[in-house]
Amino acid sequence: MTVYELQQKILDLKKEKDICILAHSYEAREISEIADFVGDSYALSVKAKSVPQKTVIMCGVRFMAETVKILSPQKKVILANPDAGCPMAEQMDKELIEQLKSRDPNRAVVAYINTTTDLKTICDVCVTSSSAVKIINNMPEKDILFIPDINLGTYVANQCPNKNIKLVHGGCPTHCRVRESNVLQAKKEHPNALFLVHPECTPDVVKHADYVGSTSGIMDYAKKSSAKEFIIGTENSITEHLQYDCPDKKFYPVSKDLVCHNMKITTLPEVYLCCGGEFGEEITLDEETRLKAEKCINKMIEYGG
Ligand code: 13P
Ligand code: SF4
């Protein structure tokens, strides 16, 4: 069977079974083509609330499927590949953050959405890479503990100089692989290219950026820009999607190593099996945990718009 034939089968099954497929922009091209909606983590979590279908299949990582379930408990939410986790989301446990909170109880805890549901239950506000600066500026609290990404936290702290932001060490193993030397080499090879980067990269990489933003932010910027060449400082799917979408422009990955294997383990045949109920994991959350975690996601939507 060809990829096209399999995609047609998935589209038929989606209709027949009233399924919505959400895909993060790091997913492979053939998956984004059959998705109802493709976006960054903020857009996906907001979108999930308003889709009419009763079943949502998340092609992304576990915290994204959990966020959909937190916001839409009445829907059946399936994580397309149960092994797709985000290593950063697992880096911090509730006990550690509870200890830090007890030492400094007046400091608001802001959690990147790349965290477990359990950890979200004790946080005050969630943010995503596209909404973090706006949300932190809109929060009434001045003293903030930002978890778990030290790189995004550093970027946000620089953008919000009137806030007192403390960080705890954590980060994305994929984006941390990019070195300043990769940027300098790419700039030497493509001197006319603009450098667009995700804030999960280290500060010595981010400081060379012409634009810093979320996955969708990077894609929108490149599409609207009058420039013709871009070095992309985020997961390599974004370079590939942009090259398809803008054939008259040129896109170069800042490093060939910028691959998130967790975003790549979901395959098209698995999505097909999920639609038929033969694969994937249904996300279940106990109601008390869900309600506690929902508070900080609702705050994200309130402050982030
Ligand atoms: P976005 O918020 O840009 O989608 O990022 C999510 C993510 O996991 C980036 O590594
Ligand atoms: Fe997690 Fe990094 Fe992969 Fe994003 S790119 S899902 S933060 S490991």
Side-chain angles (χ1 to χ4, degrees), residues 255-270:
S255 157
K256 292 249 161 66
D257 248 9
L258 242 172
V259 177
C260 174
H261 295 287
N262 282 282
M263 286 286 187
K264 293 289 141 51
I265 57 173
T266 304
T267 64
L268 198 63
E270 285 168 359

Side-chain angles (χ1 to χ4, degrees), residues 24 26 41 60-64 84-89 91 112 114 149 171-177 198 200 215 234-235 258-264:
H24 188 267
Y26 288 164
S41 14
V61 291
R62 181 170 293 274
F63 78 81
M64 295 175 179
C86 167
M88 171 157 56
Q91 281 165 352
Y112 193 17
N114 299 37
D149 187 355
C172 163
T174 303
H175 287 83
C176 282
R177 283 202 288 271
H198 197 284
E200 285 176 16
T215 50
T234 191
E235 216 279 340
L258 242 172
V259 177
C260 174
H261 295 287
N262 282 282
M263 286 286 187
K264 293 289 141 51

Side-chain angles (χ1 to χ4, degrees), residues 40-109:
D40 63 12
S41 14
Y42 187 77
L44 290 180
S45 47
V46 176
K47 188 75 192 172
K49 265 185 103 136
S50 63
V51 299
Q53 292 91 340
K54 293 192 180 68
T55 302
V56 174
I57 294 178
M58 171 58 76
C59 301
V61 291
R62 181 170 293 274
F63 78 81
M64 295 175 179
E66 287 183 357
T67 306
V68 174
K69 187 67 185 177
I70 291 168
L71 290 173
S72 308
Q74 73 293 352
K75 289 193 201 294
K76 183 172 181 178
V77 179
I78 314 282
L79 175 60
N81 186 319
D83 289 329
C86 167
M88 171 157 56
E90 311 287 336
Q91 281 165 352
M92 258 159 229
D93 56 26
K94 214 169 140 185
E95 290 68 34
L96 168 77
I97 303 306
E98 265 166 348
Q99 270 178 25
L100 295 176
K101 271 171 67 128
S102 65
R103 274 189 235 153
D104 197 357
N106 295 326
R107 190 171 285 275
V109 180

Side-chain angles (χ1 to χ4, degrees), residues 68-273:
V68 174
K69 187 67 185 177
I70 291 168
L71 290 173
S72 308
Q74 73 293 352
K75 289 193 201 294
K76 183 172 181 178
V77 179
I78 314 282
L79 175 60
N81 186 319
D83 289 329
C86 167
M88 171 157 56
E90 311 287 336
Q91 281 165 352
M92 258 159 229
D93 56 26
K94 214 169 140 185
E95 290 68 34
L96 168 77
I97 303 306
E98 265 166 348
Q99 270 178 25
L100 295 176
K101 271 171 67 128
S102 65
R103 274 189 235 153
D104 197 357
N106 295 326
R107 190 171 285 275
V109 180
V110 175
Y112 193 17
I113 198 160
N114 299 37
T115 38
T116 60
T117 302
D118 200 33
L119 189 51
K120 285 183 179 87
T121 60
I122 55 157
C123 297
D124 298 297
V125 187
C126 245
V127 297
T128 66
S129 56
S130 62
S131 61
V133 171
K134 181 174 179 188
I135 289 173
I136 289 180
N137 274 328
N138 284 343
M139 285 173 65
E141 296 90 344
K142 187 171 163 28
D143 296 332
I144 286 160
L145 174 68
F146 187 94
I147 58 165
D149 187 355
I150 200 161
N151 293 327
L152 176 63
T154 302
Y155 172 72
V156 171
N158 289 337
Q159 300 296 310
C160 305
N162 53 334
K163 300 281 175 170
N164 172 10
I165 300 180
K166 271 199 179 162
L167 307 170
V168 187
H169 197 82
C172 163
T174 303
H175 287 83
C176 282
R177 283 202 288 271
V178 184
R179 297 270 165 261
E180 187 177 20
S181 56
N182 297 127
V183 183
L184 299 176
Q185 181 63 27
K187 279 182 172 259
K188 198 166 149 197
E189 286 169 19
H190 311 290
N192 297 322
L194 296 183
F195 179 43
L196 317 184
V197 76
H198 197 284
E200 285 176 16
C201 286
T202 55
D204 58 342
V205 166
V206 170
K207 75 176 182 215
H208 294 285
D210 296 290
Y211 171 80
V212 184
S214 72
T215 50
S216 301
I218 289 175
M219 291 186 79
D220 289 346
Y221 184 94
K223 286 178 186 172
K224 288 182 190 143
S225 169
S226 58
K228 292 286 179 210
E229 291 184 73
F230 304 87
I231 299 161
I232 302 300
T234 191
E235 216 279 340
N236 287 343
S237 283
I238 301 298
T239 313
E240 191 185 332
H241 296 323
L242 280 168
Q243 197 57 77
Y244 271 103
D245 294 347
C246 313
D248 57 323
K249 296 181 176 181
K250 287 216 160 25
F251 299 92
Y252 315 104
V254 69
S255 157
K256 292 249 161 66
D257 248 9
L258 242 172
V259 177
C260 174
H261 295 287
N262 282 282
M263 286 286 187
K264 293 289 141 51
I265 57 173
T266 304
T267 64
L268 198 63
E270 285 168 359
V271 179
Y272 171 69
L273 291 175

